[in-house]
Amino acid sequence: MSDFKDRWSLTARQHLVRGRERALAFSRLLNERQRDRRHPPYRPTPIGVLNGFVLVGSLLVVLFILADPYLTLFQATMQPEVRDFLEFVTDIGKSDWMLIATGGFLIYQIFRDISVHGIRRRAAVVRASATATYLFVSVLAAGLIVVVLKYVIGRARPKLFDTEGLAAFHPFSFDPSWASFPSGHATNVAALGVALALLFPRARIVILTGAFWIAVSRLATRSHYPTDVVAGFLLGGAVAWLTARIFAERRLVFRLDAAGRIERRHVHQKGTS
């Protein structure tokens, strides 16, 4: 028994050392990766940012006026079977499983022994690790941003509509009942959906449509207003796209085509991942 424990302890230490070395090597790869100098780094112009805020702000104001006040009526007329289905679907928007799945796969790739494989197999492991990193960072970054915004803004959830009204805000309350805007579920599922759509562009319609309906399911639970869902969806999608742009500028997972559009790198293209 003692010999077994000693061997297991030695193996565990070896895996930890190997994993640490591989994580540091991958980190150096990200830092040393040369930027694609055919395109300048993405820097949104002030007028572009202003145009975006005006466009999104106008959309949210229209929804605030025309959609948010009628959420209670929408829920009251909803068929019980539809409500039950949407309440089941809404849990898919939780970030927990997204981070566990991508993070767990990344940890597995870091600690697995690839010394027995050839160059092509090792390159495939690096590509898979970079892709998992992109997915993990996209969902994590979007989730952190939306949590900060929710509690800074402090909008009352629809369940408080009867007592607090439509435009009730309590910034920095750190009470979940006052954390409606933007929707965290919509942000998470949009980040994952846009990321997957960029990775698998041929299936983007199916992926984005599925993400959209998962986000919309939040309306059935009376957890968010339509403006919360739309704002979260746009936020999550923007974070995933910006993360892909950063990766593309380093020619990791993605690349920039001649017109500066993001596209996924393939094995036959030069360069790792």
Side-chain angles (χ1 to χ4, degrees):
M1 184 66 178
S2 178
D3 292 341
F4 172 78
K5 293 175 64 176
D6 290 341
R7 288 197 300 271
W8 185 89
S9 177
L10 178 61
T11 302
R13 287 198 299 269
Q14 289 174 338
H15 279 290
L16 288 173
V17 171
R18 183 185 299 122
R20 179 176 178 274
E21 292 175 349
R22 194 168 298 155
L24 291 174
F26 186 66
S27 177
R28 287 194 296 270
L29 171 65
L30 296 179
N31 292 329
E32 297 171 359
R33 191 76 172 182
Q34 293 185 353
R35 187 179 62 80
D36 186 350
R37 299 187 181 278
R38 297 176 304 165
H39 304 278
Y42 178 71
R43 298 290 185 271
T45 62
I47 188 63
V49 173
L50 178 61
N51 288 336
F53 272 111
V54 170
L55 181 62
V56 173
S58 299
L59 173 62
L60 294 180
V61 169
V62 169
L63 289 174
F64 179 81
I65 297 172
L66 299 181
D68 286 6
Y70 304 103
L71 178 65
T72 302
L73 178 61
F74 163 74
Q75 293 171 332
T77 57
M78 189 184 306
Q79 294 294 324
E81 296 81 7
V82 176
R83 181 184 294 107
D84 292 343
F85 174 73
L86 291 178
E87 289 178 350
F88 167 76
V89 169
T90 195
D91 287 338
I92 303 177
K94 292 183 178 179
S95 63
D96 305 31
W97 73 267
M98 304 178 194
L99 295 176
I100 291 174
T102 55
F105 178 75
L106 182 58
I107 293 174
Y108 166 72
Q109 293 290 70
I110 289 175
F111 282 93
R112 65 183 296 196
D113 184 7
I114 60 173
S115 61
V116 297
H117 300 296
I119 295 177
R120 291 187 178 181
R121 182 60 177 172
R122 295 181 187 179
V125 170
V126 173
R127 286 194 298 272
S129 300
T131 302
T133 300
Y134 165 64
L135 292 171
F136 182 84
V137 170
S138 295
V139 175
L140 179 63
L144 292 176
I145 293 172
V146 77
V147 166
V148 172
L149 289 177
K150 287 162 71 75
Y151 288 106
V152 169
I153 296 173
R155 186 186 188 185
R157 292 189 184 272
K159 64 182 181 181
L160 301 178
F161 176 78
D162 295 335
T163 57
E164 302 293 341
L166 184 64
F169 295 89
H170 193 334
F172 301 103
S173 68
F174 300 103
D175 183 346
S177 297
W178 294 84
S180 185
F181 182 91
S183 166
H185 281 64
T187 301
N188 296 331
V189 76
L192 181 63
V194 170
L196 291 176
L198 290 172
L199 290 170
F200 306 100
R202 293 185 178 180
R204 62 182 178 272
I205 300 299
V206 174
I207 294 171
L208 294 177
T209 300
F212 169 78
W213 280 110
I214 295 172
V216 168
S217 69
R218 296 301 287 164
L219 302 179
T221 64
R222 208 178 183 188
S223 300
H224 292 286
Y225 290 101
T227 48
D228 305 333
V229 172
V230 172
F233 202 87
L234 293 175
L235 173 62
V239 171
W241 185 89
L242 288 172
T243 304
R245 173 77 192 202
I246 293 172
F247 273 61
E249 289 177 356
R250 293 294 185 273
R251 292 173 292 178
L252 287 166
V253 185
F254 303 100
R255 65 185 291 273
L256 299 173
D257 64 12
R261 293 185 295 263
I262 299 172
E263 64 178 18
R264 186 177 182 181
R265 290 182 61 87
H266 298 288
V267 177
H268 66 272
Q269 294 170 339
K270 294 182 179 180
T272 302
S273 76

